[in-house]
Coordinates of all heavy atoms in Angstrom, one line a residue:
R1 N -3.0 -5.7 12.4 CA -4.4 -5.9 13.1 C -4.7 -4.8 14.0 O -5.8 -4.4 14.1 CB -4.3 -7.3 13.8 CG -5.7 -7.8 14.2 CD -5.5 -9.1 15.0 NE -5.1 -8.8 16.4 CZ -5.9 -8.5 17.4 NH1 -7.3 -8.5 17.2 NH2 -5.5 -8.3 18.6
K2 N -3.7 -4.4 14.7 CA -3.9 -3.2 15.7 C -4.3 -2.0 14.9 O -5.1 -1.2 15.4 CB -2.6 -3.0 16.5 CG -2.3 -4.1 17.5 CD -1.0 -3.8 18.3 CE -0.8 -4.8 19.3 NZ 0.5 -4.6 20.1
R3 N -3.7 -1.8 13.7 CA -4.2 -0.7 12.9 C -5.6 -0.8 12.5 O -6.4 0.2 12.5 CB -3.3 -0.6 11.7 CG -3.3 0.7 11.0 CD -2.3 0.8 9.9 NE -2.2 2.1 9.3 CZ -1.3 3.1 9.6 NH1 -0.4 2.8 10.5 NH2 -1.3 4.2 9.0
M4 N -6.0 -2.1 12.2 CA -7.4 -2.3 11.8 C -8.4 -2.0 13.0 O -9.5 -1.4 12.8 CB -7.6 -3.7 11.4 CG -9.0 -4.2 11.0 SD -9.2 -5.9 10.5 CE -8.9 -6.7 12.0
L5 N -7.9 -2.3 14.2 CA -8.7 -2.0 15.4 C -8.9 -0.6 15.7 O -9.9 -0.2 16.3 CB -8.1 -2.7 16.6 CG -8.1 -4.2 16.6 CD1 -7.5 -4.8 17.9 CD2 -9.5 -4.8 16.4
L6 N -8.0 0.3 15.2 CA -8.3 1.7 15.3 C -9.5 2.2 14.6 O -10.2 3.1 15.0 CB -7.1 2.5 14.8 CG -5.7 2.3 15.6 CD1 -4.6 3.1 14.8 CD2 -5.9 2.9 17.0
S7 N -9.8 1.5 13.5 CA -11.0 1.8 12.7 C -12.2 1.0 13.1 O -13.3 1.5 13.2 CB -10.8 1.5 11.2 OG -9.8 2.4 10.7
F8 N -11.9 -0.3 13.6 CA -13.0 -1.2 13.9 C -12.7 -1.9 15.3 O -12.3 -3.0 15.3 CB -13.3 -2.3 12.9 CG -13.6 -1.7 11.5 CD1 -12.7 -1.7 10.5 CD2 -14.9 -1.2 11.3 CE1 -13.1 -1.2 9.2 CE2 -15.3 -0.6 10.1 CZ -14.4 -0.6 9.0
P9 N -12.9 -1.2 16.4 CA -12.5 -1.7 17.7 C -13.4 -3.0 18.0 O -13.0 -3.8 18.9 CB -12.8 -0.6 18.7 CG -13.6 0.4 18.0 CD -13.3 0.2 16.5
Q10 N -14.5 -3.1 17.3 CA -15.4 -4.2 17.6 C -14.8 -5.6 17.0 O -15.4 -6.6 17.3 CB -16.8 -4.0 17.0 CG -16.9 -3.8 15.5 CD -16.7 -2.4 15.0 OE1 -15.8 -1.7 15.5 NE2 -17.7 -2.0 14.2
L11 N -13.7 -5.5 16.3 CA -13.0 -6.7 15.8 C -11.9 -7.2 16.7 O -11.0 -7.9 16.3 CB -12.5 -6.4 14.4 CG -13.5 -6.0 13.4 CD1 -12.9 -5.9 12.0 CD2 -14.7 -6.9 13.3
T12 N -12.0 -6.8 18.0 CA -10.9 -7.1 18.9 C -10.6 -8.6 19.0 O -9.5 -9.0 19.2 CB -11.1 -6.6 20.3 OG1 -10.0 -6.8 21.1 CG2 -12.4 -7.2 20.9
N13 N -11.6 -9.5 18.8 CA -11.4 -10.9 18.9 C -11.2 -11.6 17.5 O -11.2 -12.8 17.4 CB -12.6 -11.6 19.6 CG -12.7 -11.1 21.0 OD1 -11.6 -11.0 21.7 ND2 -13.9 -10.9 21.5
V14 N -11.1 -10.8 16.5 CA -10.9 -11.3 15.1 C -9.4 -11.3 14.7 O -8.8 -10.4 14.9 CB -11.7 -10.4 14.1 CG1 -11.4 -10.9 12.7 CG2 -13.2 -10.4 14.4
K15 N -9.0 -12.5 14.3 CA -7.6 -12.7 14.0 C -7.3 -12.3 12.6 O -8.1 -12.3 11.7 CB -7.2 -14.2 14.2 CG -7.4 -14.7 15.6 CD -7.0 -16.1 15.7 CE -7.2 -16.7 17.1 NZ -6.9 -18.1 17.2
A16 N -6.0 -12.0 12.3 CA -5.5 -11.8 11.0 C -4.9 -13.1 10.5 O -4.0 -13.6 11.0 CB -4.4 -10.7 11.0
E17 N -5.6 -13.6 9.5 CA -5.2 -14.9 8.9 C -4.1 -14.8 7.9 O -3.3 -15.7 7.8 CB -6.4 -15.6 8.3 CG -6.2 -17.1 7.9 CD -7.4 -17.9 7.5 OE1 -8.5 -17.4 7.8 OE2 -7.2 -18.9 7.0
Y18 N -4.1 -13.7 7.2 CA -3.1 -13.5 6.1 C -2.4 -12.2 6.3 O -3.1 -11.2 6.7 CB -3.7 -13.6 4.7 CG -4.3 -14.9 4.4 CD1 -5.7 -15.2 4.6 CD2 -3.6 -15.9 3.8 CE1 -6.3 -16.4 4.2 CE2 -4.1 -17.1 3.4 CZ -5.5 -17.4 3.6 OH -6.0 -18.6 3.3
A19 N -1.2 -12.1 6.0 CA -0.5 -10.8 6.0 C 0.6 -10.8 5.0 O 1.4 -11.8 4.9 CB 0.2 -10.6 7.4
W20 N 0.6 -9.8 4.1 CA 1.6 -9.7 3.0 C 1.8 -8.3 2.6 O 1.3 -7.4 3.3 CB 1.0 -10.5 1.8 CG -0.1 -9.9 1.1 CD1 -0.1 -9.2 -0.1 CD2 -1.5 -10.0 1.5 NE1 -1.4 -8.8 -0.4 CE2 -2.2 -9.3 0.5 CE3 -2.2 -10.6 2.6 CZ2 -3.6 -9.1 0.6 CZ3 -3.6 -10.4 2.7 CH2 -4.3 -9.6 1.6
G21 N 2.6 -8.1 1.6 CA 2.9 -6.7 1.2 C 3.6 -6.7 -0.1 O 3.7 -7.7 -0.8
G22 N 4.2 -5.6 -0.4 CA 5.0 -5.5 -1.6 C 5.4 -4.0 -1.8 O 5.2 -3.2 -0.9
F23 N 6.0 -3.7 -2.9 CA 6.6 -2.4 -3.2 C 5.9 -1.7 -4.4 O 5.7 -2.3 -5.4 CB 8.1 -2.5 -3.5 CG 8.9 -3.0 -2.3 CD1 9.2 -4.3 -2.2 CD2 9.2 -2.1 -1.3 CE1 9.9 -4.8 -1.0 CE2 10.0 -2.5 -0.2 CZ 10.3 -3.9 0.0
V24 N 5.5 -0.5 -4.1 CA 4.9 0.3 -5.2 C 6.0 1.3 -5.6 O 7.0 1.6 -4.9 CB 3.7 1.1 -4.7 CG1 2.6 0.1 -4.3 CG2 4.0 2.0 -3.4
D25 N 5.9 1.8 -6.8 CA 6.8 2.7 -7.5 C 6.4 4.2 -7.4 O 5.6 4.6 -8.3 CB 7.1 2.3 -8.9 CG 5.8 2.1 -9.7 OD1 4.8 1.8 -9.1 OD2 5.8 2.4 -10.9
I26 N 6.7 4.9 -6.4 CA 6.2 6.3 -6.3 C 7.2 7.2 -7.0 O 8.4 7.0 -7.0 CB 6.1 6.7 -4.8 CG1 7.4 6.9 -4.1 CG2 5.1 5.8 -4.1 CD1 7.2 7.6 -2.8
S27 N 6.6 8.2 -7.6 CA 7.4 9.3 -8.2 C 7.4 10.5 -7.2 O 6.6 10.5 -6.2 CB 6.8 9.8 -9.5 OG 5.5 10.3 -9.3
M28 N 8.3 11.4 -7.4 CA 8.4 12.5 -6.4 C 7.1 13.3 -6.3 O 6.7 13.6 -5.1 CB 9.5 13.5 -6.9 CG 9.7 14.7 -6.0 SD 10.4 14.2 -4.4 CE 12.2 14.4 -4.8
N29 N 6.4 13.6 -7.3 CA 5.1 14.3 -7.3 C 3.9 13.3 -7.3 O 2.8 13.8 -7.3 CB 5.0 15.3 -8.4 CG 5.0 14.7 -9.8 OD1 5.0 13.4 -9.9 ND2 5.2 15.5 -10.8
R30 N 4.1 12.0 -7.3 CA 3.1 11.0 -7.2 C 2.3 11.0 -8.5 O 1.2 10.3 -8.6 CB 2.2 11.1 -6.0 CG 3.0 11.0 -4.7 CD 2.2 10.5 -3.6 NE 3.0 10.2 -2.4 CZ 2.6 9.4 -1.4 NH1 1.3 9.0 -1.4 NH2 3.4 9.2 -0.4
A31 N 2.7 11.6 -9.6 CA 2.1 11.5 -10.9 C 2.7 10.4 -11.7 O 3.9 10.1 -11.4 CB 2.2 12.8 -11.6
P32 N 2.1 9.8 -12.6 CA 2.7 8.7 -13.4 C 3.8 9.2 -14.3 O 3.7 10.3 -14.8 CB 1.5 8.1 -14.2 CG 0.5 9.2 -14.3 CD 0.7 10.0 -13.0
D33 N 4.8 8.4 -14.5 CA 5.9 8.7 -15.3 C 6.0 7.8 -16.5 O 6.5 6.6 -16.4 CB 7.2 8.6 -14.5 CG 8.5 9.0 -15.2 OD1 8.4 9.6 -16.3 OD2 9.6 8.6 -14.8
F34 N 5.5 8.3 -17.7 CA 5.5 7.5 -18.9 C 6.4 8.2 -19.9 O 6.5 9.5 -19.9 CB 4.1 7.4 -19.6 CG 3.0 6.9 -18.7 CD1 1.7 7.1 -19.0 CD2 3.3 6.2 -17.5 CE1 0.7 6.6 -18.3 CE2 2.3 5.7 -16.7 CZ 1.0 5.9 -17.1
G35 N 7.1 7.5 -20.7 CA 7.9 8.2 -21.8 C 8.7 7.2 -22.6 O 8.5 6.0 -22.6
R36 N 9.7 7.8 -23.3 CA 10.7 7.0 -24.1 C 12.0 7.1 -23.4 O 12.4 8.1 -22.9 CB 10.7 7.6 -25.5 CG 9.4 7.5 -26.3 CD 9.4 8.4 -27.5 NE 8.1 8.4 -28.2 CZ 7.1 9.1 -27.8 NH1 7.1 9.9 -26.7 NH2 5.9 9.0 -28.5
L37 N 12.8 6.0 -23.5 CA 14.1 6.0 -22.8 C 15.0 7.0 -23.3 O 15.8 7.6 -22.6 CB 14.7 4.6 -22.9 CG 15.9 4.3 -22.0 CD1 15.5 4.5 -20.5 CD2 16.4 2.9 -22.2
S38 N 14.9 7.3 -24.6 CA 15.7 8.4 -25.3 C 15.6 9.7 -24.6 O 16.5 10.5 -24.5 CB 15.4 8.5 -26.7 OG 14.0 8.8 -26.9
E39 N 14.4 10.0 -24.0 CA 14.1 11.2 -23.3 C 14.9 11.3 -22.0 O 15.2 12.4 -21.5 CB 12.7 11.4 -23.0 CG 11.8 11.5 -24.3 CD 10.3 11.3 -24.0 OE1 10.0 10.8 -22.9 OE2 9.5 11.5 -24.9
R40 N 15.3 10.2 -21.5 CA 16.1 10.2 -20.3 C 17.6 10.1 -20.5 O 18.4 10.5 -19.7 CB 15.6 9.0 -19.4 CG 14.1 8.9 -19.2 CD 13.6 9.9 -18.1 NE 13.6 11.3 -18.5 CZ 12.6 11.8 -19.2 NH1 11.5 11.1 -19.5 NH2 12.6 13.1 -19.4
T41 N 18.0 9.4 -21.6 CA 19.4 9.2 -21.9 C 20.0 10.1 -22.9 O 21.2 10.3 -23.0 CB 19.6 7.7 -22.5 OG1 19.0 7.6 -23.7 CG2 19.0 6.7 -21.5

């Protein structure tokens, strides 16, 4: 919520009702990694 207020200080009285997250799968160069398992093994 504090991060949101950096962009929108006018929301100082607005509460965060939901908060969640998760994990994304980043590659070293951030390009997608598609292939066949045989290419790796």
Side-chain angles (χ1 to χ4, degrees):
R1 194 184 77 88
K2 289 179 179 178
R3 197 173 185 99
M4 178 179 71
L5 294 181
L6 294 176
S7 295
F8 299 107
Q10 62 269 51
L11 301 185
T12 185
N13 294 320
V14 176
K15 298 177 182 178
E17 187 171 347
Y18 297 92
W20 71 100
F23 293 97
V24 296
D25 53 329
I26 69 165
S27 63
M28 179 70 90
N29 60 9
R30 299 204 172 196
D33 180 18
F34 305 164
R36 299 163 182 82
L37 192 60
S38 58
E39 296 163 348
R40 310 280 74 85
T41 66

